[in-house]
Amino acid sequence: MRLLRMVGVGSLMHLKMASRSPFEIATGLIVPIVQATMAVYLLRASEQPQNMIKAAVGAGLMGIWSQVLFGSGGAIQRQRWMGTLEMMIISPRPPALTVLPITIATGLQGTYTMAATLVWGWVLYGIVPSFAHPGLFLVAVVVCIVGLGMFGLLLASTFILMRNANAVCNTLEYPIWLLSGMLVPITVLPGWTEPVASILPTTWGARAVHEAATGGAVWPSVGWCLLISLMCFGFGALSMSYVERRARAAATLALA
Amino acid sequence: MSELAIEAVGLRRTYRSRTGWLRPKIRQTEAVKGVSFTVAKGELFGLLGPNGAGKTTTIKMLNTLLIPSAGTARIFGHDVVENTTEVRRRIGYVFGGDRGLYDRLSALDNLRYFAELYAVPAREQKARIGELLELVNLAGRERERVEGYSRGMRQRLHIARGLLHRPQVLFLDEPSIGVDPVAARDLRRTVADLAATGTTVLLTTHYMAEADELCDRIAVIAQGELKALGTPDELKHYADGRRVVEVEAYGIDDDVYGRIRRIAGVKETTLEAQGAVQLLTVQSASDVDVQGEVLAALDGVRLGRVAARRPTLEDAYVSIVSDDSPELVVAT
Ligand SMILES: Nc1ncnc2c1ncn2[C@@H]1O[C@H](COP(=O)(O)OP(=O)(O)O)[C@@H](O)[C@H]1O
Ligand SMILES: [Mg+2]
């Protein structure tokens, strides 16, 4: 209960901070428009009405993904710059739990991006969001955020160790978009990518969201996403504790 | 013997940094080279030394942020490497300067966030935060964003944050750096009050006067080594048997300064610019009078006041941290 409260308050504060950053505000305004536009032209959503929602949802998921990647990676880097990383690590909590609010907050920011993409798709291109299973859609989105947040945690551990982690984050962004089939259906990709894709929680999260939007069995995907997320959390927590110790040995918690 | 709050035994820390991309070289810095001391419960202990002496490194080994390269440390008997969580429950950490707070959040939000992180029970949080805002004189301004705060206000907020979970040991790393004299005085009073109510405080500073005013005992550290340890009064004896000449001058260059340093009988010299005027101090053994030779060396330089005086704690500090100081003397 107390840990939940901590994660809750922490996420709220990190969200509050993001909502006050001029950079984040600008990104939050522009990115959804760009994504809605890209989706419409790349997937010719206007010709095939079925693709419209798929495109908007795919673009929205991309938004969540890049938020988590830049969010959890960038946030760790920012904490280092601000000198607050040390203040977080010095708390008597497991390091995974002090970092989790950051990845959850960015997951939530991503939800906003998805909603905004849908709205812009509607306003600019007349793509009316209509969902096969509206209720399940919400469930799937929440599950997807959990998946992204947990995967983000796993990634964030690398950022604590490395002071130049931004490079890693940039190289990961596009492959994982493609692999998890957020925009392009996985079947378009070469066969070898399939096993890789199927161990990413985001693949199942994205599939659940797609299914909820356009029809299909949603629950199995939701189940897989949650299961893999749980594993990500487990590994993330272990890796975070290991990495925290390494960072204390290598002196990478602070800037100098 | 009273209960020990901090025990440091042979602490060492080496930093490895990589320089160059094509042919990377590993450079090693020995920041702390075997430091041992103990701090009793409730004591206000000062770690005094010039910039780069290894003060911050020592503090970070004690507060679990750095793992020592060698040696051990315990906080109330808990090993800082093995029982990290137990140590973290008992310590607070405050450092000087602008960083370490969430600028885009209000002071209140900063404190609420860290109260959760530092495991302050939910139902105590509100009262505790109010009490601390009162203590550091920020009550009434807690809803303003920290980005609009002055250096002194930030520093006070830092202290409030460090005290949220009622730590038994408080680490203060150069808390008065960059704050104005009035704020620094308030800060010293807050620290003294904390120590008076039983909190163990380890304070680092490079201001002699601050350490002298506040600390029960002072460890002087330079080049990663402990040079002296004792009460301020004990440390003053380092300058016993010295005589000090102080000269105000305008335009001492390296040549002239070098000549003064080479005068026979001169032990220590310092040259400090204070605006346009330079303050030269020359320490010598008390049985030699170097004043005449110093003035001769300053021939052609415009001079202000010239005075001989008895050595102060400041002079003792200068003689301790300089290279040719005697071997470590521990007075306990
Ligand atoms: N992260 C680091 N990497 C490499 N060298 C460092 C690092 N931190 C400090 N140092 C070096 O270690 C020495 C001691 O630094 P520090 O403990 O910060 O001294 P102080 O706090 O007394 O000014 C200095 O020479 C400094 O340059
Ligand atoms: Mg320092």
Side-chain angles (χ1 to χ4, degrees), chain B residues 276-297:
Chain B
V277 59
Q278 294 168 303
L279 185 66
L280 172 74
T281 58
V282 179
Q283 286 186 30
S284 64
S286 57
D287 51 354
V288 282
D289 189 352
V290 294
Q291 185 165 338
E293 282 175 83
V294 168
L295 291 178

Side-chain angles (χ1 to χ4, degrees), chain B residues 13-268:
Chain B
R13 175 71 210 202
T14 309
Y15 291 109
R16 259 168 261 272
S17 44
R18 208 182 292 264
T19 49
W21 276 101
L22 289 177
R23 291 167 64 200
K25 284 199 191 94
I26 307 275
R27 208 189 35 175
Q28 300 219 10
T29 315
E30 274 193 81
V32 174
K33 309 168 189 165
V35 164
S36 306
F37 58 86
T38 57
V39 180
K41 183 167 181 251
E43 198 176 7
L44 208 169
F45 188 86
L47 208 51
L48 175 70
N51 285 328
K55 303 183 295 293
T56 300
T57 307
T58 305
I59 255 194
K60 285 187 183 176
M61 286 192 279
L62 295 174
N63 72 14
T64 76
L65 286 176
L66 281 176
I67 293 180
S69 310
T72 56
R74 278 191 288 273
I75 303 293
F76 284 110
H78 299 282
D79 187 275
V80 295
V81 179
E82 299 310 321
N83 305 327
T84 312
T85 310
E86 289 304 312
V87 171
R88 289 177 180 171
R89 271 191 232 288
R90 291 170 172 77
I91 60 168
Y93 176 39
V94 175
F95 54 86
D98 279 335
R99 298 162 66 248
L101 295 163
Y102 292 113
D103 282 8
R104 288 199 292 266
L105 295 182
S106 65
L108 188 61
D109 280 348
N110 266 284
L111 292 178
R112 278 173 44 195
Y113 173 76
F114 283 104
E116 286 295 336
L117 229 52
Y118 295 166
V120 179
R123 68 200 123 73
E124 288 172 25
Q125 281 180 14
K126 207 166 170 213
R128 182 68 183 148
I129 290 173
E131 186 179 305
L132 285 170
L133 285 168
E134 210 64 60
L135 175 81
V136 299
N137 220 347
L138 285 175
R141 306 197 57 177
E142 71 270 23
R143 286 177 197 281
E144 293 172 34
R145 287 194 201 176
V146 173
E147 57 198 356
Y149 275 22
S150 70
R151 263 275 174 90
M153 289 168 75
R154 279 165 186 268
Q155 202 48 51
R156 271 138 56 200
L157 179 56
H158 240 302
I159 291 188
R161 187 256 306 272
L163 293 174
L164 274 168
H165 52 306
R166 301 178 199 275
Q168 293 168 276
V169 180
L170 185 64
F171 292 99
L172 291 166
D173 194 2
E174 310 225 19
S176 56
I177 205 151
V179 304
D180 62 77
V182 177
R185 198 191 55 207
D186 290 348
L187 193 101
R188 288 199 293 274
R189 189 175 312 136
T190 310
V191 173
D193 287 349
L194 278 171
T197 53
T199 307
T200 307
V201 180
L202 190 148
L203 169 98
T204 79
T205 178
H206 63 267
Y207 300 121
M208 181 74 238
E210 188 168 86
D212 184 21
E213 180 186 334
L214 280 175
C215 299
D216 300 324
R217 281 191 308 146
I218 299 173
V220 180
I221 180 172
Q223 292 113 34
E225 288 169 2
L226 214 59
K227 301 284 189 182
L229 179 63
T231 64
D233 278 339
E234 285 163 350
L235 293 187
K236 275 170 200 157
H237 292 306
Y238 273 84
D240 280 357
R242 296 276 176 104
R243 171 204 289 262
V244 182
V245 178
E246 229 173 50
V247 182
E248 282 176 7
Y250 302 84
I252 297 178
D253 58 23
D254 287 350
D255 256 10
V256 173
Y257 190 50
R259 231 178 299 148
I260 292 169
R261 292 169 64 109
R262 283 191 300 273
I263 293 172
V266 166
K267 300 257 192 208
E268 318 287 346

Side-chain angles (χ1 to χ4, degrees), chain A residues 23 31 37 57 59 62 64 85 95 107 118 149 152 167 169 181 183 197-198 218 241:
Chain A
F23 174 75
V31 167
T37 308
V57 170
M62 284 198 322
I64 297 190
L85 185 59
L118 287 174
C169 148
L183 198 54
S198 62
V218 181
S241 296

Side-chain angles (χ1 to χ4, degrees), chain A residues 5 16 20 79 82 248-249, chain B residues 13 64 100 102 109 116:
Chain A
R5 189 187 142 97
K16 209 166 177 177
R20 291 173 178 176
Q79 307 282 327
M82 290 189 290
R248 286 160 58 208
Chain B
R13 175 71 210 202
T64 76
Y102 292 113
D109 280 348
E116 286 295 336

Side-chain angles (χ1 to χ4, degrees), chain A:
Chain A
M1 219 20 237
R2 291 174 59 179
L3 290 181
L4 270 183
R5 189 187 142 97
M6 184 204 98
V7 172
V9 172
S11 307
L12 184 76
M13 292 302 170
H14 283 289
L15 206 58
K16 209 166 177 177
M17 250 180 289
S19 73
R20 291 173 178 176
S21 147
F23 174 75
E24 303 278 354
I25 293 169
T27 316
L29 287 177
I30 296 165
V31 167
I33 302 182
V34 172
Q35 283 182 339
T37 308
M38 262 172 38
V40 166
Y41 287 103
L42 281 178
L43 291 190
R44 305 179 187 293
S46 43
E47 289 161 26
Q48 284 174 286
Q50 184 57 18
N51 273 355
M52 287 182 190
I53 293 159
K54 216 183 244 176
V57 170
L61 284 169
M62 284 198 322
I64 297 190
W65 178 246
S66 61
Q67 284 287 359
V68 166
L69 207 51
F70 286 112
S72 50
I76 298 284
Q77 192 69 6
R78 267 197 305 282
Q79 307 282 327
R80 202 196 308 278
W81 275 103
M82 290 189 290
T84 45
L85 185 59
E86 290 188 325
M87 302 319 293
M88 284 168 52
I89 293 297
I90 208 173
S91 79
R93 304 281 203 183
L97 287 178
T98 54
V99 173
L100 192 59
I102 297 181
T103 56
I104 290 189
T106 47
L108 284 168
Q109 253 176 288
T111 323
Y112 153 78
T113 313
M114 170 143 127
T117 302
L118 287 174
V119 169
W120 282 117
W122 191 356
V123 171
L124 294 179
Y125 303 104
I127 305 174
V128 183
S130 75
F131 304 109
H133 315 284
L136 279 182
F137 181 76
L138 287 181
V139 173
V141 167
V142 170
V143 166
C144 203
I145 293 170
V146 171
L148 287 159
M150 299 300 179
F151 191 60
L153 184 71
L154 194 57
L155 284 179
S157 58
T158 48
F159 287 90
I160 292 192
L161 199 56
M162 293 187 288
R163 273 181 287 208
N164 307 331
N166 282 342
V168 180
C169 148
N170 289 338
T171 39
L172 273 179
E173 183 163 21
Y174 292 97
I176 293 187
W177 273 4
L178 292 174
L179 280 182
S180 39
M182 286 179 183
L183 198 54
V184 186
I186 290 177
T187 43
V188 178
L189 292 170
W192 62 264
T193 57
E194 209 161 316
V196 182
S198 62
I199 56 165
L200 295 175
T202 46
T203 305
W204 299 98
R207 191 172 291 175
V209 172
H210 277 299
E211 285 163 352
T214 58
V218 181
W219 289 112
S221 306
V222 165
W224 279 114
C225 180
L226 284 178
L227 186 72
I228 301 175
S229 298
L230 208 65
M231 280 160 51
C232 275
F233 181 70
F235 280 122
L238 283 180
S239 143
M240 199 61 88
S241 296
Y242 166 76
V243 153
E244 182 240 16
R245 209 180 154 106
R246 280 282 307 276
R248 286 160 58 208
T252 55
L253 292 172
L255 269 183

